[in-house]
Amino acid sequence: MAQARPDDVPLIHDLIGIGFGPSNVAMAIAVSEHDARIGGQDVTTAHFFEQQPSFGWHRGMLIDDATMQVSFLKDLVTLRNPASEFSFLCYLKSNGRLVDFINHKNLFPLRVEFHDYFEWAAAQVDDMVSYGHEVVGVTPVVRDGVVEHLDVTVRSPEGLARHRARNLVIGTGLRPLMPDGVERTDRVWHNSDLLSKVDGLEGCDPSRFVVVGAGQSAAENVAYLHRRFPRAEVCAVFARYGYSPADDSGFANRIFDPAAVDEFFTAPEDVKRRLMDYHGNTHHSVVDTELIDTLYRQMYQEKVLGTERLRFLNVSRLTAVKETPATVNATVRSLVTGEETSLDADVVVFATGYRPADPLGLLGEVADRCLRDERGRVRIERDYRIVTDPGLRCGIYVQGGTEHTHGITSSLLSNTAVRVGEILDSLLGRSPVSVPDEVRTVIEGTGRPAR
């Protein structure tokens, strides 16, 4: 029989997750599969808090014809547990599309379809998440100078509540990155706003868009706006001569392998920098070759026909944005000649990327116990646990923001399934809960002994 708790002492969870995007959905699945594997006993009690009212992943970028840039086999579970009932293939089967997908002969699903898969998977573990609940603070519970629990303060429509955890896993995702001094408005967008704002232009007959950026999202935005508004001019601005193709060759893709994380983590700092420089063209500011060819073909066709709506202002940089009552004025400067071009547009879209959320931003005084390296970066162990002072016994794990320690897959889907298995392995190795020896020998199908 469970012991009664005083009213002011919250239930202690083995794990509390902050955020419920794909990474923490995968974490919840890993926990639920582990508990089911040993007969339903909750070896790891976990709960997640998500401030959005429902699951959502880059909804503003779910362009109808945009495809994933990773194989469907790099879903939430397959690389950790190929027999999982939460796989993309099981999703297809449940929706009656498995045979159709096989006949499609394509490893890369539509992005909107993969989002639907994420929603399907999240719905199966929705008993482990509270939507519409925002984590607003974390405080240490100190006894005899030692912190073995963390109190998590959560705000919901019902007010503030306190939850206690032995461990945290932070999966708060990425934040849109805008140039210094530029704010998002009704006419100045980040590409993450695209689909949420574009419908507001219906009936306005826009005449010009300016899209800033040289990566996949920028190219997709250019193609989408050009197609959606057939009378508008679309101007692409970037510092290169043209879009750079993504290197998705078999050898280069080894940088995304689970083994590459081990190698990167143990590599000297100068080798880490070189690896990121060598293989940045697998992901950063690159575009699928097929999309590059499509845009170039469209540009050339318009030149032949004398109906140029697609303009590329290359080797250039946008230097100023100024809104007027009717338009937004963009100043574009050539990096070669210094000549400036003034463009009056209905909308300027900045496809300028994302930055990781500060993993320590919510931790308050707990952040003071998290150690940093000589460059001021948060120190992260191989199991994705933040290095803390000895007095803090809780595990604080991060999913994202670890490029400096774990490499290019830090915030990507490529290693999500493996990463959550490693975090669960670490949690069980630290857990005070009694776990049968035969269960500890193999965690989540990884074949690795629990630490």
Side-chain angles (χ1 to χ4, degrees):
M1 179 180 297
Q3 292 183 341
R5 292 179 290 110
D7 291 340
D8 61 341
V9 177
L11 173 69
I12 299 175
H13 293 279
D14 292 314
L15 178 67
I16 283 180
I18 303 175
F20 205 61
S23 291
N24 270 351
V25 172
M27 189 77 242
I29 291 170
V31 170
S32 68
E33 288 188 331
H34 176 268
D35 289 348
R37 182 174 181 171
I38 64 166
Q41 177 187 356
D42 285 340
V43 172
T44 303
T45 57
H47 199 78
F48 299 80
F49 296 100
E50 169 57 53
Q51 64 180 347
Q52 294 187 101
S54 61
F55 178 86
W57 176 71
H58 296 307
R59 288 187 178 275
M61 298 170 60
L62 298 179
I63 297 172
D64 54 7
D65 63 346
T67 58
M68 297 296 294
Q69 291 179 282
V70 297
S71 165
F72 72 88
L73 293 171
K74 293 185 175 182
D75 58 19
L76 299 175
V77 295
T78 296
L79 290 181
R80 174 182 57 81
N81 177 14
S84 174
E85 296 181 356
F86 293 84
S87 70
F88 181 71
L89 291 179
C90 288
Y91 156 79
L92 290 173
K93 178 69 173 177
S94 72
N95 283 276
R97 292 200 306 271
L98 180 58
V99 173
D100 292 335
F101 184 84
I102 293 171
N103 290 339
H104 191 37
K105 299 180 182 179
N106 197 324
L107 290 172
F108 307 100
L110 290 169
R111 194 180 297 155
V112 68
E113 182 178 31
F114 222 63
H115 186 278
D116 193 56
Y117 157 65
F118 288 152
E119 289 186 299
W120 171 85
Q124 296 186 71
V125 289
D126 63 359
D127 59 321
M128 298 174 69
V129 59
S130 295
Y131 290 107
H133 285 62
E134 180 186 8
V135 173
V136 295
V138 177
T139 55
V141 180
V142 184
R143 287 192 177 88
D144 300 324
V146 173
V147 179
E148 293 190 347
H149 300 107
L150 298 171
D151 276 354
V152 179
T153 302
V154 180
R155 180 166 53 214
S156 71
E158 290 73 38
L160 295 177
R162 183 165 54 102
H163 304 265
R164 185 160 292 179
R166 295 186 178 93
N167 302 279
L168 298 180
V169 58
I170 302 173
T172 48
L174 302 171
R175 300 292 181 265
L177 182 62
M178 297 288 284
D180 290 341
V182 178
E183 299 293 332
R184 293 152 76 180
T185 69
D186 289 341
R187 293 188 179 273
V188 178
W189 304 349
H190 186 269
N191 67 276
S192 60
D193 301 320
L194 182 71
L195 295 187
S196 62
K197 290 194 171 184
V198 74
D199 287 342
L201 299 178
E202 288 295 338
C204 297
D205 197 20
S207 60
R208 178 182 286 151
F209 295 91
V210 174
V211 180
V212 181
Q216 179 73 19
S217 294
E220 288 176 354
N221 278 227
V222 168
Y224 174 78
L225 292 169
H226 184 271
R227 181 177 74 249
R228 174 79 181 265
F229 299 97
R231 293 196 291 181
E233 180 182 271
V234 180
C235 301
V237 180
F238 44 76
R240 307 178 183 192
Y241 269 97
Y243 296 117
S244 297
D247 184 355
D248 61 352
S249 60
F251 287 114
N253 274 343
R254 287 180 172 177
I255 194 69
F256 301 108
D257 289 355
V261 178
D262 287 320
E263 294 164 353
F264 190 94
F265 188 83
T266 58
E269 193 63 33
D270 62 321
V271 175
K272 284 185 169 73
R273 287 194 297 270
R274 287 204 297 272
L275 287 172
M276 294 296 282
D277 290 341
Y278 290 153
H279 295 291
N281 65 346
T282 59
H283 175 69
H284 296 307
S285 297
V286 290
V287 181
D288 289 341
T289 300
E290 183 179 355
L291 180 54
I292 295 175
D293 291 343
T294 297
L295 289 172
Y296 192 90
R297 185 164 50 249
Q298 182 68 48
M299 178 196 70
Y300 186 78
Q301 178 183 343
E302 290 181 357
K303 281 189 174 182
V304 171
L305 299 177
T307 57
E308 294 183 55
R309 291 195 302 114
L310 192 55
R311 294 177 58 191
F312 293 92
L313 286 74
N314 59 353
V315 199
S316 300
R317 190 177 303 279
L318 190 145
T319 57
V321 177
K322 182 178 180 181
E323 289 196 62
T324 69
T327 65
V328 54
N329 182 264
T331 302
V332 180
R333 177 181 298 160
S334 167
L335 297 178
V336 176
T337 66
E339 179 182 356
E340 291 189 341
T341 301
S342 179
L343 299 171
D344 285 322
D346 295 88
V347 173
V348 175
V349 182
F350 285 89
T352 43
Y354 296 81
R355 57 178 173 79
D358 179 5
L360 307 186
L362 292 171
L363 298 185
E365 62 184 281
V366 177
D368 296 335
R369 295 175 175 264
C370 299
L371 306 186
R372 297 180 180 268
D373 63 18
E374 64 279 359
R375 296 177 60 183
R377 302 170 302 187
V378 179
R379 290 176 55 190
I380 312 289
E381 297 282 12
R382 175 60 185 85
D383 59 3
Y384 300 93
R385 184 165 50 90
I386 293 177
V387 180
T388 61
D389 69 43
L392 194 148
R393 306 274 177 86
C394 306
I396 303 174
Y397 297 84
V398 288
Q399 301 215 62
T402 59
E403 278 198 355
H404 62 292
T405 53
H406 291 69
I408 202 168
T409 60
S410 169
S411 58
L412 305 182
L413 292 173
S414 294
N415 258 331
T416 296
V418 174
R419 180 173 63 246
V420 299
E422 292 172 343
I423 292 174
L424 180 60
D425 185 351
S426 177
L427 284 167
L428 293 173
R430 294 165 49 82
S431 174
V433 180
S434 176
V435 183
D437 290 341
E438 63 271 20
V439 174
R440 282 189 179 278
T441 57
V442 179
I443 301 298
E444 285 298 293
T446 61
R448 293 188 304 275
R451 291 190 290 271

